[in-house]
Amino acid sequence: MADIQFLNVDLELESQQDISALVADLDKRAVVLHYDKDDTRQLARFEANSDAISPDKAINELCELIESCSKAALKQWLGCSRRTFDLGFSSGHSPKCFNEAISADTLLRISAIGAGIEVTIYAVEE
């Protein structure tokens, strides 16, 4: 039987403008899971370059990376139409009740950089 568990936090970005400087800055200390661009938009997805054991810790690591970006990259960050921390969880049969907390300080930090939160729950593979 599979257990419910936290998997990771992805930072998902979408912009109608160039975000190459932002991607380059984040690529120095994060894992670029996806970067795609066409004539109308640019999409990017990142993961912290560590084994964060909680959503709170992973979000704070990604916030630190964003806060340390260059001025040009931060300008591109502000131009993104989507700046989302996607918390990934694997569903399961136990425990009966499962939770992961995001601290008030982390929520303030997310708000200060203009990002949002999303939760993705992956089905149990049997």
Side-chain angles (χ1 to χ4, degrees):
M1 269 192 184
D3 288 339
I4 301 168
Q5 62 182 328
F6 165 67
L7 298 174
N8 63 3
V9 174
D10 291 346
L11 172 61
E12 298 180 351
L13 304 176
E14 181 174 346
S15 182
Q16 294 179 337
Q17 300 154 7
D18 177 42
I19 59 170
S20 59
L22 178 57
V23 171
D25 273 15
L26 293 175
D27 186 30
K28 293 174 188 170
R29 296 190 335 192
V31 177
V32 180
L33 300 172
H34 176 82
Y35 179 42
D36 184 44
K37 50 187 171 180
D38 59 30
D39 293 339
T40 60
R41 67 181 182 169
Q42 295 193 14
L43 302 170
R45 182 178 297 123
F46 304 89
E47 190 174 84
N49 198 8
S50 72
D51 292 327
I53 58 171
S54 72
D56 197 78
K57 186 174 183 332
I59 290 168
N60 276 291
E61 287 179 18
L62 289 164
C63 284
E64 188 176 308
L65 297 181
I66 294 156
E67 293 161 353
S68 67
C69 282
S70 67
K71 197 176 245 185
L74 289 173
K75 185 175 182 180
Q76 290 179 354
W77 167 265
L78 293 173
C80 289
S81 56
R82 176 182 166 110
R83 299 179 297 263
T84 304
F85 293 101
D86 183 3
L87 288 62
F89 294 88
S90 173
S91 64
H93 303 289
S94 63
K96 185 175 181 179
C97 180
F98 178 85
N99 59 49
E100 285 280 353
I102 307 295
S103 73
D105 287 344
T106 301
L107 292 172
L108 287 170
R109 197 172 189 184
I110 292 166
S111 179
I113 62 173
I117 296 177
E118 181 175 284
V119 176
T120 300
I121 300 172
Y122 298 93
V124 176
E125 294 182 25
E126 297 188 34

